[in-house]
Amino acid sequence: MVDETSIFIGASRKPDDSYQRAEEVLLRYGNRHGLVTGATGTGKTVSLQILAEGFSNAGVPVFCADIKGDLSGISMMGEAKDFLVKRAGEVKLDPYQFQEFPVIFWDLFGEQGHPIRATISEMGPLLLSRLMNLTEAQEGVMNIAFRIADEEGLLLLDLKDLQALLANIADRADELSARYGNVTRPSVGAIQRTLLVLESQGAANFFGEPALRIADIMRTTRDGRGAISVLAADKLMMNPRLYATFLLWLMSELFEELPEVGDLDQPKLVFFFDEAHLLFEDAPKVLIDRVEQVVRLIRSKGVGVYFVTQNPLDTPEKVLAQLGNRVQHALRAYTPREQQAVRTAADTFRPNPDFDCATAITQLATGEALVSMLEDKGVPAMVQRTLIRPPSSRLGPITPDERRKIIAGSPVTGQYDQVVDRESAFEILQKKAKEAQDAEAQAQQQNSGGSRWTIPGFDDVLGSGNRRSSNRQTVAEAAIKSVVRSVGSSVGRAIVRGILGSLARGR
């Protein structure tokens, strides 16, 4: 029925509902991307699960997000339940074997998996501006901040590095405006307030070191199976903008780091982007253009990107055109927008004369889908009404004890658990402020000729008439205030950013 060059996903049906043929994803076209859509409760998660199982068995590493916790069951052996065995018979899956798969659990908050971190430098100004929902003027200030960090060797690793730099920029606003254009204190202040909100939402856990190494999500096991990296996203979904920004950053890092390989016999990695509408919702055009560019070019790196969402209208047309392998579960069509979504979904398939695609989409049962995969020469197959095969792993979530046991035995245990705080922008600016303060104190001492009395901490309480006005702020005090207002860590000559950050600098 299938061989080592494909992944069996189900069986298509004839008009009389009898078995027609096996439907499968050809591994050599696994990097041509894909789309899994459908309303809540129609079986999208199971489709994602069996695709992840198939890629793993073929030796392809997988990265996916677990929005509801259901996908964690892929790490445990499946059980022979009546409805699963029945479905296996209907699609002629013989033998129906149960498996547990090699899973690495990740969590931005470090609670349900290994912590995932990225540095501020790697994130870049464009993605940070998107994450913080900055205005155009504020985004301009953010770009200037990164430019200054590059020029002055200030390494931006965590939030307090960026906060310290912004405070420094506010104090130098007049000087910097003459060099880069208008840098206003209100714009800097608005960014600082947004950073505080971001910090309160848990983003401080994400920014820092050790940063995620791409090689750790591209692991294979000793028996040749691809590791499945599962991101615990149930808590992360409380901040959907952080979720979408993180996955977009990861996708851009893959593009940046991986070499060009062209079309291989199978992908080097498959990346599932669940709740994909969050990526494009209210996104500025420049960001959507960047996403389209990354999706279009990353396939030459051997990476397949599969968007999972409820509505095909959630995906911009330029991105939709890049998605060759498609699984369409049932859609509801009660409102005009839902009816338009049905028509859009139907129009993206190669028509089948045996049924009306738009009508079929509204009549699909749970676990049934319209499927069109790329055939020889990369041509989309005629759409087929398909029963999706049952998974080999557990259907449903695992227990907390099972999760802890898997995390403890993970190949990356101990590598990301402890935060590393190197010398970076915060420490460098603090050091400069201290040096400025010492220089100011020495200058005052020389000017006074050592003849006056001072009390530590009470400048010029006793002495000559050289006492300065209490309303005038020294350079040292301004530098100290810059650091005190900031709330972050080795000296870097240049800041390395992902494709999105790099492209933003060329705007």
Side-chain angles (χ1 to χ4, degrees), residues 450-478:
S451 61
R452 62 189 178 88
W453 291 67
T454 62
I455 300 175
F458 294 86
D459 184 64
D460 273 336
V461 172
L462 300 174
S464 65
N466 291 330
R467 184 170 55 194
R468 61 179 174 82
S469 169
S470 61
N471 294 325
R472 175 169 293 178
Q473 188 181 68
T474 68
V475 174
E477 287 173 332

Side-chain angles (χ1 to χ4, degrees), residues 362-415:
T362 62
Q363 298 175 347
L364 294 170
T366 300
E368 190 177 17
L370 296 184
V371 170
S372 175
M373 300 297 171
L374 296 179
E375 294 182 317
D376 290 336
K377 299 182 180 180
V379 177
M382 185 182 300
V383 63
Q384 299 291 345
R385 189 166 183 162
T386 303
L387 287 179
I388 302 299
R389 60 152 290 179
S392 297
S393 55
R394 180 186 296 178
L395 197 60
I398 60 175
T399 66
D401 285 341
E402 290 171 331
R403 184 184 291 267
R404 281 192 289 270
K405 187 178 295 186
I406 293 172
I407 293 173
S410 166
V412 298
T413 295
Q415 296 184 29

Side-chain angles (χ1 to χ4, degrees), residues 25-33 55 267 270 303-306 325:
V25 179
L26 297 179
L27 286 171
R28 66 180 180 274
Y29 296 129
N31 67 328
R32 301 291 181 92
H33 311 318
F55 281 116
V270 169
V303 178
V305 180
Y306 288 70
N325 300 300

